[in-house]
Amino acid sequence: MAADYFVGVEGGASNSFYVIVDRAGKVLSTTSGPGINPWLIPVDEVAGILNDKIGQLKTAIGVPTSQRLISIGLSMSGADSDLIKASLREAVNKKEALQADHYYICTDTFGSIAAAYGAKKGGIVLIAGTGSNCALVNADGSSANCGGWGHLFGDEGSGYDIAATAIRLIFEISDRYVACPAGSIDLLRQKMFEYFKVQTPSPSLKDMLNHFYRDFKKDFFAGFALCVVGAANEGDEFANYVMSIIGERLGRHIVGVSPSVKDDGTGPLSVICVGSVWKSFALFKDSFLRVTSTLNRPLELVKIKAEVPIAVGAAALGAQDAPVQPAFDFANHVEVLYNSAA
């Protein structure tokens, strides 16, 4: 018999978050772990991480790891194909701590919308963390997507994109392939060598090649975004130029899904902003709004409150077909980041 507990998992390429709640929607325990994108690590390894982490949640509240749950919701980057979902479900069924009466597996964009508004309402989410993705889910269940194609062909406006755009421009400007569009690359070039630990007496761009090929690690590469943001906050013109590009690219995601929005068009277009890139919104606000102003309707950007575990959305989705659902207070889950009417 299933105990009255619901589990939610929100997983990305860099990290994952876990929550267990009761019928009242009370968060009983949370934990975190490594990235669980099934396109980046094997599905069996993903299932192993899930089993360990959900087992930890159960132990923390004093129930056996073998205790069956009412539901498990898995909201994960990379879990958007039927093949991946089937493979995950098969792997999950073999794990002791992952036994439940109901399962729901979806991409991480759906979990973020549910964390803000619940499993049934819908909305727009724009994720900008290590990678990026934008999704619209209408109240009738129809949906649209823009981006989310990974770092080779997508991830526009993400932490990875901040790092890649800055580094690409440093190389192109150094080669005189393009002129420097603003300020000087000197500060970020030096920060690049420091971050990637290029310690030769006279650092050269060729010393960077190992990080692009043999020793390439997406998460570490994307971490250079913090150096770009730091330089921009210090007033570096070139770094601020890079951040303006990021704002434009993020704004285009909203423009991309907007034709599929099904509402009366009178109220503001509300967007849930998820991911660490949004902490630097002030650096790309102007370019972002310049792009979204072409929608010719009010815009509201909201973020999930810091005290609300992001994985509660996955917990809500996992329980949507169960006889009972956790009673979350969704009205208190979000706060306004920007409102054009304010």
Side-chain angles (χ1 to χ4, degrees):
M1 180 179 177
D4 286 348
Y5 302 120
F6 312 82
V7 163
V9 178
E10 183 81 10
S14 300
N15 42 49
S16 52
F17 303 95
Y18 306 79
V19 65
I20 187 166
V21 304
D22 61 14
R23 289 193 185 201
K26 180 181 179 182
V27 174
L28 303 177
S29 185
T30 63
T31 190
S32 60
I36 51 174
N37 185 319
W39 290 115
L40 299 177
I41 61 176
V43 167
D44 287 343
E45 187 175 334
V46 171
I49 295 170
L50 294 173
N51 190 64
D52 290 343
K53 293 300 176 180
I54 293 176
Q56 289 176 22
L57 293 178
K58 292 179 178 179
T59 299
I61 64 170
V63 301
T65 56
S66 59
Q67 176 63 61
R68 193 172 183 85
L69 301 164
I70 291 180
S71 63
I72 297 176
L74 302 177
S75 172
M76 301 160 50
S77 64
D80 46 5
S81 77
D82 291 339
L83 178 61
I84 289 291
K85 290 178 182 179
S87 298
L88 278 169
R89 182 60 185 272
E90 181 180 359
V92 161
N93 283 338
K94 299 175 183 177
K95 299 296 184 180
E96 179 184 62
L98 305 183
Q99 300 306 302
D101 288 347
H102 299 272
Y103 297 91
Y104 189 84
I105 302 173
C106 62
T107 183
D108 54 346
T109 50
F110 284 36
S112 298
I113 293 172
Y117 300 132
K120 303 295 185 182
K121 184 175 179 181
I124 298 175
V125 62
L126 180 49
I127 296 176
T130 300
S132 66
N133 198 0
C134 181
L136 156 73
V137 179
N138 289 303
D140 65 3
S142 60
S143 62
N145 196 81
C146 182
W149 302 116
H151 69 279
L152 289 179
F153 303 110
D155 281 349
E156 295 90 347
S158 67
Y160 177 87
D161 193 30
I162 294 172
T165 298
I167 292 172
R168 182 182 300 111
L169 281 170
I170 289 170
F171 274 69
E172 290 178 346
I173 293 164
S174 297
D175 285 346
R176 297 186 178 85
Y177 181 75
V178 298
C180 186
S184 166
I185 64 172
D186 290 350
L187 177 61
L188 273 188
R189 178 185 166 108
Q190 181 59 36
K191 286 182 177 289
M192 178 183 73
F193 288 141
E194 292 172 356
Y195 177 80
F196 287 96
K197 294 182 172 56
V198 176
Q199 297 173 335
T200 55
S202 299
S204 163
L205 295 182
K206 291 182 179 179
D207 296 319
M208 290 290 297
L209 294 179
N210 186 56
H211 295 286
F212 303 160
Y213 295 97
R214 185 177 301 148
D215 196 32
F216 174 78
K217 295 180 178 65
K218 179 182 176 180
D219 292 354
F220 179 72
F221 187 95
F224 181 63
L226 293 174
C227 299
V228 180
V229 167
N233 281 321
E234 293 168 9
D236 183 76
E237 287 186 58
F238 175 67
N240 275 287
Y241 172 79
V242 171
M243 295 307 295
S244 73
I245 295 174
I246 297 306
E248 292 174 1
R249 291 173 179 170
L250 287 172
R252 288 186 200 130
H253 287 81
I254 306 303
V255 174
V257 300
S258 63
S260 299
V261 172
K262 295 181 180 179
D263 65 7
D264 59 14
T266 57
L269 190 65
S270 184
V271 179
I272 307 157
C273 303
V274 176
S276 57
V277 171
W278 290 103
K279 295 177 182 178
S280 303
F281 179 57
L283 294 175
F284 58 83
K285 176 181 176 180
D286 290 346
S287 58
F288 177 87
L289 295 178
R290 189 163 54 247
V291 172
T292 56
S293 67
T294 61
L295 298 173
N296 295 315
R297 67 178 292 181
L299 181 69
E300 180 184 61
L301 305 180
V302 301
K303 61 180 181 178
I304 297 169
K305 292 180 178 178
E307 63 268 25
V308 176
I310 186 67
V312 298
L317 289 169
Q320 61 184 326
D321 294 325
V324 293
Q325 291 84 36
F328 291 120
D329 182 13
F330 291 108
N332 289 315
H333 279 197
V334 299
E335 59 188 0
V336 176
L337 176 64
Y338 168 81
N339 192 319
S340 60

